[in-house]
Amino acid sequence: MRRGPGLGLTLAAVLAVPAAAGEVQFLGRFDWQGEGAIFGGFSGLEVTPDGAGFLALSDSGATLAGRLVRDGAGRIVAIEADRPVMLHDSAGRVVRDPLDDAEGLTWAPGGGFFVSFELEHRIAFYPSRDAAARGLVAPRAFRDLAPNGGIEALALAPDGALLAFPEVGAGVIAVHRYRGGAWDRPFDLGRDRVWRPVGADFGPDGRLYLLERDFWGLIGFRSRVRRITLAGERVVADEVLLATRAGRHDNLEGIAVWRDAAGAIRLTMIADDNFRALQRSEIVEYRVED
């Protein structure tokens, strides 16, 4: 999200946060530092099943890929990344403002990846990082999205369907699904007044993990992760795994879920520093003991 979200400082908002379910262990934080005007603003993240390879997406329309170097305990100690590669439009031109506000990222079946864009709301498929975009026909509902509250999160379901989650909406999180060349709306998720969905991923356990954010002004950001169990198009469980205090982490916007060598689910999340010196492009990890 390019502009700062609204404040959420009421006592009611604090009391409304559900208790976390299950055991979640904080593993560590790595502050990723880079150079150049397009480094930073990371809003999307995908990690390979072994937790080593990654693809990161920036609000600037840049992609970075590489390797997460880990120590013997599996904690990130370094990042080896190649040069940034800018996304292109369907004509093969580098995306420019206002068409470059990339937000959601997920792998695509058979290779490549999907990216969602705000301001000019759309979702594109990329066969590779330097390829021209192949736009998907957008549903009519995208026309009603707020300029800075569009499709912030994407996730690839186990059956190969693409799920899209708008950041802003009335009452519920409307889940849009693309499969077989057509869009539908299979289910909705509950929406809390102060929490906004900013990242999503399906884990190797088949469950949907939804990253949400709340902003407390000068104090900083709160982050929350919900674990959602689906039976077909029916939500059968919706748990809060993690809810941090304000300022615990920076502006976490991207999430990748994978299973480590010990068999535990890991949540790897990346922060959008909004290209501001006082913020951090940090990567944080948690282990879910279930």
Side-chain angles (χ1 to χ4, degrees):
M1 186 173 187
R2 181 162 293 176
R3 303 180 185 88
L7 298 179
L9 287 173
T10 65
L11 178 61
V14 175
L15 297 178
V17 178
E23 297 292 332
V24 180
Q25 177 189 3
F26 174 63
L27 296 180
R29 169 192 298 108
F30 184 85
D31 289 335
W32 189 12
Q33 300 183 13
E35 299 179 353
I38 63 174
F39 181 87
F42 295 112
S43 54
L45 179 69
E46 285 290 349
V47 173
T48 54
D50 62 357
F54 76 90
L55 175 65
L57 174 72
S58 168
D59 287 349
S60 66
T63 61
L64 284 88
R67 179 170 169 262
L68 303 174
V69 181
R70 300 178 180 276
D71 63 14
R75 294 180 174 86
I76 300 172
V77 294
I79 295 179
E80 298 174 349
D82 61 8
R83 63 177 181 84
V85 175
M86 296 298 297
L87 296 173
H88 293 70
D89 63 18
S90 58
R93 300 168 299 205
V94 172
V95 292
R96 303 292 185 190
D97 186 50
L99 300 174
D100 62 339
D101 191 10
E103 296 291 346
L105 171 71
T106 190
W107 302 125
F113 54 93
F114 293 104
V115 173
S116 65
F117 295 84
E118 275 192 331
L119 302 184
E120 295 288 339
H121 300 304
R122 65 198 190 278
I123 297 176
F125 166 69
Y126 289 91
S128 64
R129 293 167 61 204
D130 57 358
R134 300 179 187 174
L136 305 182
V137 176
R140 182 176 296 274
F142 282 18
R143 302 177 189 175
D144 299 326
L145 295 174
N148 204 36
I151 302 301
E152 189 84 7
L154 297 174
L156 185 68
D159 64 359
L162 174 66
L163 300 187
F165 306 81
E167 180 181 7
V168 177
V172 298
I173 300 172
V175 180
H176 301 280
R177 177 175 61 186
Y178 183 79
R179 65 175 181 177
W183 287 93
D184 65 357
R185 183 172 163 179
F187 59 90
D188 294 335
L189 295 174
R191 179 186 291 275
D192 287 353
R193 184 169 57 85
V194 300
W195 291 99
R196 295 185 174 188
V198 290
D201 195 19
F202 277 89
D205 56 358
R207 291 185 280 194
L208 173 65
Y209 292 77
L210 186 68
L211 172 63
E212 297 177 305
R213 171 189 60 200
D214 180 27
F215 183 51
W216 280 42
L218 295 178
I219 300 176
F221 296 87
R222 291 194 298 164
S223 299
R224 187 168 84 166
V225 177
R226 292 160 61 181
R227 181 175 62 186
I228 297 155
T229 304
L230 300 169
E233 299 179 356
R234 186 168 58 91
V235 176
V236 297
D238 188 343
E239 311 163 274
V240 174
L241 284 180
L242 170 69
T244 71
R245 69 177 188 273
R248 177 72 170 93
H249 300 304
D250 211 295
N251 180 25
L252 298 180
E253 285 203 10
I255 183 170
V257 185
W258 53 286
R259 194 181 298 279
D260 64 22
I265 293 289
R266 288 217 192 180
L267 313 176
T268 303
M269 294 172 282
I270 193 167
D272 177 358
D273 67 355
N274 293 306
F275 302 102
R276 294 172 180 166
L278 295 179
Q279 291 186 247
R280 304 183 305 276
S281 295
E282 66 176 355
I283 295 180
V284 303
E285 289 194 312
Y286 285 82
R287 177 188 290 123
V288 180
E289 303 288 354
D290 209 7

